[in-house]
Amino acid sequence: MHAPTLSSAPSKAETVAGVASAGRIRNENFRRKIVSAEEAVRYIRSGDTVAISGFASAGTPKRVTPALADHIRRARASGDDFTINLLTGASVSAETERLLAEADGIALRMPYQAEPTARGRINDGRMDYVDIHLSHVAQQVWEGYYGHVDVAVVEVSGITESGELIPATSVGNNKTWLDVAEKIVLEVNSWIPDAMSGVHDIYYGTALPPHRTPIQLTDVEDRIGQETFRVDPARVVAVVETEVSDSANPLTAPDATSQAIAGHVLDFFAHEVAAGRLPADTLLPLQSGIGNVANAVLAGLSDGPYRGLTCYSEVIQDGMLELIANGTVRYASSTALALSEAGLDEFVRNIDFYRNHIVLRPQEISNHPEIVRRLGIIAMNGMLEADIYGNVNSTHVMGTRIMNGIGGSGDFTRNGYLSMFLSPSTARNGAISSIVPMVPHVDHTEHDVQVIVTEQGLADVRGLSPRRRSRVVIERCAHPDFRAELHDYVDRAEAAPGAGQTPHLLGEAFSFHERFTRTGTMRANPEQ
């Protein structure tokens, strides 16, 4: 790690400005480093690689990143082509993503985003984007895939007398950022309840090959680390105070489609229990992605026979809080809280209760393939589309335009005990079929996908050859408006000379997508 160059840093006189919060910043050395957000961003230079905290909008710095966007905008207005490379845990608050993208200040983005402005820059070729499995981020950063991390900006809820950091509402990759960054800016957020202290389990036992050892986590409730982050105080160049809530994660009530999907999933669980493949009362640890379909599945669990469930996932949504409150879920392990405004209010008001049922871990542990396989996770994730043989595209619209990213879905899909993908059977008011002859972009192969669910039904493709799989996926998951054309495609593909193990008509495999790009609908008969 090279010595910092602080030609643009605040002066010593400037760094002592501000009023210390003795309750949250209990170490005198750190209190002396309190500055404004505007002063703190002067440590960030054009061309720097900047790592910020945040995961699914939770724990994103509230003061420093908007100040950074202003700093970049002013620099660019004066003729300085000021850009940074931005590393995060996953998505960050939409406001942060938008402000930095609108300032045209991001040259490279990694590993996940979920905001329209940034997405537009990426798809227009104005921002480089590296979409990777979330469990891989820490190792790739340690190995230097993205160069040297110049500055880390990390939100915490407090600093102890000994100089350790109390984490915020997300952990994400913060441990890694604090370990590798040359300079560190801490944002101490007193909005976070004091009782949040103790919710976290920060594990410091990971290592790079050939020095890895097994991770001794065998139950969702196990704690294998410590409650705080370690940090080298010499690398902390600024401390910024704030008292601002996390951005709420948008949530709407489950509609008929998501409730139908949830119903199929719950029926499948009952079937697996009857077959002896899942424990009758507690199933196996659940993982679910973000969104209304996932929340609908969780809501449906409340009405079922299950009690004492556990969850091992990336995020905790409103539906999970409800399950914990009513006793359906006994314990949930995650790396972040992705809550609506009502969910945030519920969590904060009843933090003393929830802290006994929730643990937040670094994402290299929450998404770790070794642990996912050991615990036997039931993985439930969303998709954009699946093809008739079970390959899933979860990231690219029409095969070329990124939507959000693969996130952690691959970590759980490849290693879970059960891997399920959920989606409405159509999109764009019926113009797009979510079941197609061949996906033009593959994130999850047929070898990893076991169950596909739409509101039309559930296709369990375990143990099925490709030819049998195609019929089941079409009949049970495709919308009736597209079913006949998909069956016709398979019939002709199987009858073609040299059809092979996985029959396709290569000249027509992407006909659904080609038709949409040409006419605005996948329907062969737009008037249908």
Side-chain angles (χ1 to χ4, degrees), residues 322-346:
E322 295 174 13
L323 294 180
I324 292 172
N326 66 29
T328 303
V329 167
R330 173 174 53 85
Y331 208 84
S333 172
S334 176
T335 194
L337 305 172
L339 302 172
S340 69
E341 186 173 348
L344 284 169
D345 180 64
E346 163 69 14

Side-chain angles (χ1 to χ4, degrees), residues 183-395:
K183 293 172 285 187
I184 297 166
V185 175
L186 299 176
E187 187 165 306
V188 182
N189 191 349
S190 57
W191 165 80
I192 301 165
D194 277 323
M196 191 78 179
S197 178
V199 168
H200 312 87
D201 185 56
I202 312 302
Y203 180 64
Y204 278 92
T206 53
L208 297 174
H211 305 295
R212 281 200 175 126
T213 57
I215 297 173
Q216 300 299 320
L217 198 158
T218 59
D219 188 272
V220 169
E221 293 185 63
D222 286 349
R223 286 177 172 265
I224 57 175
Q226 62 183 63
E227 295 178 356
T228 53
F229 293 123
R230 305 169 188 166
V231 66
D232 176 3
R235 290 187 289 115
V236 176
V237 296
V239 177
V240 176
E241 296 177 288
T242 188
E243 189 176 3
V244 180
S245 68
D246 281 334
S247 298
N249 200 57
L251 184 67
T252 57
D255 57 14
T257 297
S258 58
Q259 289 176 331
I261 293 171
H264 297 314
V265 171
L266 297 172
D267 288 345
F268 176 72
F269 287 164
H271 175 270
E272 292 298 285
V273 168
R277 290 189 284 262
L278 289 175
D281 296 325
T282 59
L283 302 176
L284 285 169
L286 301 171
Q287 176 267 333
S288 65
I290 297 177
N292 294 329
V293 172
N295 264 305
V297 173
L298 296 177
L301 290 168
S302 295
D303 301 323
Y306 312 112
R307 289 295 179 269
L309 297 175
T310 58
C311 298
Y312 194 88
S313 191
E314 301 166 307
V315 295
I316 290 174
Q317 296 193 93
D318 288 38
M320 188 65 65
L321 294 186
E322 295 174 13
L323 294 180
I324 292 172
N326 66 29
T328 303
V329 167
R330 173 174 53 85
Y331 208 84
S333 172
S334 176
T335 194
L337 305 172
L339 302 172
S340 69
E341 186 173 348
L344 284 169
D345 180 64
E346 163 69 14
F347 181 78
V348 170
R349 284 190 296 105
N350 297 291
I351 181 65
D352 288 326
F353 168 76
Y354 287 113
R355 70 193 301 274
N356 295 316
H357 299 276
I358 289 172
V359 62
L360 299 182
R361 312 180 190 274
Q363 73 186 62
E364 61 183 300
I365 301 300
S366 69
N367 290 51
H368 201 291
E370 174 192 346
I371 300 170
V372 171
R373 177 63 61 90
R374 180 185 299 127
L375 296 181
I377 304 297
I378 299 173
M380 299 178 287
N381 288 285
M383 65 178 185
L384 294 180
E385 59 185 353
D387 66 29
I388 56 178
Y389 296 114
N391 301 290
V392 165
N393 169 21
S394 60
T395 61

Side-chain angles (χ1 to χ4, degrees), residues 92-126:
V92 290
S93 72
E95 180 189 28
T96 293
E97 198 89 64
R98 177 181 57 79
L99 288 173
L100 291 173
E102 286 178 344
D104 286 323
I106 305 175
L108 178 141
R109 179 78 173 87
M110 185 282 285
Y112 187 87
Q113 58 76 40
E115 194 278 326
T117 307
R119 184 183 306 130
R121 298 291 199 278
I122 293 165
N123 285 319
D124 290 343
R126 298 166 60 185

